[in-house]
Amino acid sequence: MAVQEGQKIDFAEKDAANRKLGKLGEEFVYDLERHRLKEMGREDLALKVQWVAQTIGDGLGFDILSFDEADDSERMLEVKATGLSKFFPFYVTANEVRCSDDIPDKFHLFRVFNMGREPQIYILHGSLKILCQLEPILFRAVI
């Protein structure tokens, strides 16, 4: 087994930058969803959109609760933001994967890329187990 070379990483700084980028991405999608619903003539639903990651907290498996303008059904939106290109890999939690698998008809992953320049999005709708190649890279160890 080859040993990797060490490098100095300021994990606190990296974590803070990632949190800031994530929050900006969530805000972008929150505003986008409210605008979408207003454009569809559903001001009533636009007022109900909730940024649950801010109001309730993490752990729900999604960041924003929105609605389908046609039948008023709920849409659970998970946001993944990057300043990099469209196909740069992203991380999802086991909870987010479970959520997408439990409610695939309501789950939407909004991938915001080129954040900080000219933000663009693509949307994955359904179970992440089916839509993505998932690779476990983190383990929880207990002694």
Side-chain angles (χ1 to χ4, degrees):
M1 183 169 137
V3 177
Q4 291 184 325
E5 278 190 41
Q7 56 181 331
K8 291 185 179 183
I9 300 171
D10 186 337
F11 288 104
E13 183 179 316
K14 187 175 181 178
D15 183 56
N18 286 340
R19 286 182 189 276
K20 182 178 178 181
L21 185 64
K23 188 173 180 179
L24 287 171
E26 289 175 11
E27 183 177 23
F28 178 76
V29 171
Y30 173 78
D31 292 342
L32 189 68
E33 274 298 290
R34 291 179 48 120
H35 179 76
R36 179 185 69 80
L37 289 165
K38 287 176 187 175
E39 287 291 309
M40 301 300 280
R42 296 303 308 264
E43 177 80 29
D44 59 321
L45 292 179
L47 293 171
K48 291 182 178 182
V49 174
Q50 295 179 52
W51 187 354
V52 295
Q54 292 292 309
T55 59
I56 296 173
D58 286 331
L60 294 175
F62 61 96
D63 300 311
I64 297 167
L65 173 64
S66 187
F67 302 91
D68 185 293
E69 71 282 352
D71 63 7
D72 298 5
S73 62
E74 293 180 335
R75 293 169 24 117
M76 282 61 171
L77 316 181
E78 174 59 29
V79 180
K80 297 296 177 182
T82 184
L84 301 173
S85 68
K86 180 177 183 175
F87 297 109
F88 196 79
F90 56 92
Y91 297 99
V92 293
T93 67
N95 192 39
E96 292 161 353
V97 172
R98 268 192 304 277
C99 183
S100 77
D101 211 33
D102 289 347
I103 53 167
D105 55 321
K106 296 181 180 186
F107 187 88
H108 300 75
L109 186 140
F110 279 62
R111 178 61 163 155
V112 183
F113 58 98
N114 293 333
M115 196 77 198
R117 293 188 299 272
E118 193 175 318
Q120 297 175 293
I121 63 168
Y122 65 84
I123 302 168
L124 301 176
H125 177 212
S127 172
L128 297 176
K129 287 181 181 177
I130 295 170
L131 299 169
C132 299
Q133 180 181 338
L134 300 174
E135 176 186 348
I137 61 163
L138 189 64
F139 298 90
R140 181 170 57 111
V142 178
I143 298 176

